[in-house]
Amino acid sequence: MPNARLPDIKLERVTSSEMDFTLLNAETSIANALRRVMIAEVPTMAIDLVNMEVNTSPLFDEFVAHRLGLIPLSSHEVDQFNNTRDCDRCTDHCPYCSIEYVLDVSCDSEDFLDVMSKDLINVYEKERPECASVKPVDNSGESEAHARMNQASKSDGGQRPPEGIVITKLRRGQRIKCTCIAKKGTGKEHAKWSAASTVRFRTDPSIRFRLDKINDTLTKDEKIDLEKYSEGMLVYNLTADALEYEECFQERRFAISTDTIKKAGDLTGLHGVHPHEIMVYNDNPTVFNFKCETTGVLTAKELFFKAIEVLMNKLNSIQGYLDVELEELRDRNNNTYGMY
């Protein structure tokens, strides 16, 4: 395919939980497939079953179970675990397809006590090294936002934000005890398995003005009038007697307001110029600016590479089915010709 595009990626910013990058020379379908896979098809670990034994907390059992399921669990070794339904080592759950946690917290001496995600005890921690890596994600300064928050708290003499996630609160005499089973899954099964908190992309502006045509058509006063309607997108250069794009638009401002488009059409229409003559439509964008942020279960880099791996596996699967179909078609054709 001599005209096939060769996609390229340009990294803008990478942290442990965030990544900004630009996908170049790609189709919209490819960009959207990457976004959807990052959100819904990258496997992670999350609590799926909760066996409640004692619960005298203010929250009823189902509420606590729901909160436990939404606790993000580190999934850097998720590929080392089997899907529970496909595990050939057990009939229910085992260290090769799941993680078992025990939560047992009582409020005996204090007036109240916070039950935190760090109170979850990993039963399989000593069974396999991979099991020990699956633990609740906390806010111990892994992200830039938490680092700034902690620094601000120290500077004003305040207390540092608590590490971990609050599951429930107990008063004196209350207790919660349960067993939790974390399993492997994907975001398309339930949002608790999604490693991405947000993945979005923006394209080049779908509409751009032909400023050369506009500058040749409008008078000085009309250009100044259009500048006022452009909401900072256009700047009138007095020396050149021409409208120019403002710097923020050049630096990826992605939309022109409808009021600006209407005003430009009205002004050029007074001179007999059709609105289509002053606009350029980008029906087939090739540049996509991505911004993704993870929940902390995977780094942004891991999320990206695992999404690429999932896409490649899908394509390889299609190729495998296609090869089988072509082989069967050749066999049928050979048998048909052989009859004559």
Side-chain angles (χ1 to χ4, degrees), residues 95-300:
Y96 291 90
C97 66
S98 60
I99 301 293
E100 182 175 339
Y101 296 97
V102 172
L103 178 66
D104 189 358
V105 181
S106 301
C107 183
D108 299 324
S109 58
E110 302 89 345
D111 291 333
F112 66 90
L113 179 67
D114 290 339
V115 181
M116 308 293 292
S117 58
K118 65 181 180 180
D119 294 322
L120 289 166
I121 306 301
N122 189 337
V123 177
Y124 292 160
E125 185 172 7
K126 297 181 180 180
E127 298 287 338
R128 296 177 65 209
E130 294 82 359
C131 294
S133 67
V134 183
K135 54 187 178 181
V137 176
D138 59 34
N139 60 350
S140 57
E142 294 182 357
S143 68
E144 294 179 354
H146 289 134
R148 290 194 297 268
M149 184 190 304
N150 295 338
Q151 187 64 32
S153 299
K154 293 177 182 178
S155 62
D156 61 11
Q159 293 183 349
R160 188 176 186 274
E163 296 184 4
I165 298 171
V166 178
I167 300 172
T168 185
K169 296 177 181 288
L170 302 179
R171 285 287 187 179
R172 183 178 298 178
Q174 294 180 338
R175 181 189 179 192
I176 184 169
K177 181 181 180 181
C178 61
T179 302
C180 311
I181 307 298
K183 298 182 178 181
K184 182 179 179 179
T186 59
K188 64 181 181 182
E189 300 175 57
H190 193 282
K192 65 186 177 184
W193 277 297
S194 179
S197 59
T198 179
V199 179
R200 66 179 187 268
F201 67 81
R202 299 186 293 183
T203 65
D204 285 339
S206 58
I207 297 177
R208 277 185 176 270
F209 284 136
R210 291 185 56 188
L211 291 185
D212 55 343
K213 185 69 174 179
I214 292 177
N215 288 322
D216 292 341
T217 303
L218 302 183
T219 64
K220 176 182 177 180
D221 291 339
E222 289 172 339
K223 294 173 186 176
I224 295 176
D225 192 17
L226 180 58
E227 177 193 17
K228 296 177 182 178
Y229 272 83
S230 69
E231 299 180 358
M233 186 198 71
L234 297 175
V235 176
Y236 177 68
N237 188 329
L238 182 61
T239 304
D241 186 27
L243 289 169
E244 300 174 350
Y245 285 122
E246 205 274 343
E247 183 179 354
C248 68
F249 186 84
Q250 299 286 13
E251 293 293 331
R252 299 180 188 154
R253 178 172 174 174
F254 293 89
I256 300 177
S257 67
T258 54
D259 289 340
T260 306
I261 295 173
K262 184 177 185 303
K263 186 65 175 179
D266 292 342
L267 292 174
T268 54
L270 297 175
H271 299 273
V273 176
H274 195 276
H276 287 185
E277 298 181 51
I278 63 169
M279 298 183 204
V280 178
Y281 297 91
N282 183 16
D283 294 331
N284 189 21
T286 60
V287 179
F288 305 89
N289 297 278
F290 275 79
K291 182 178 181 62
C292 68
E293 182 178 352
T294 72
T295 59
V297 298
L298 297 173
T299 65

Side-chain angles (χ1 to χ4, degrees), residues 35-54:
R35 181 188 69 87
R36 292 174 68 90
V37 168
M38 292 176 74
I39 292 174
E41 298 197 44
V42 173
T44 62
M45 302 293 290
I47 293 175
D48 190 43
L49 297 175
V50 177
N51 180 21
M52 193 69 66
E53 299 180 33
V54 179

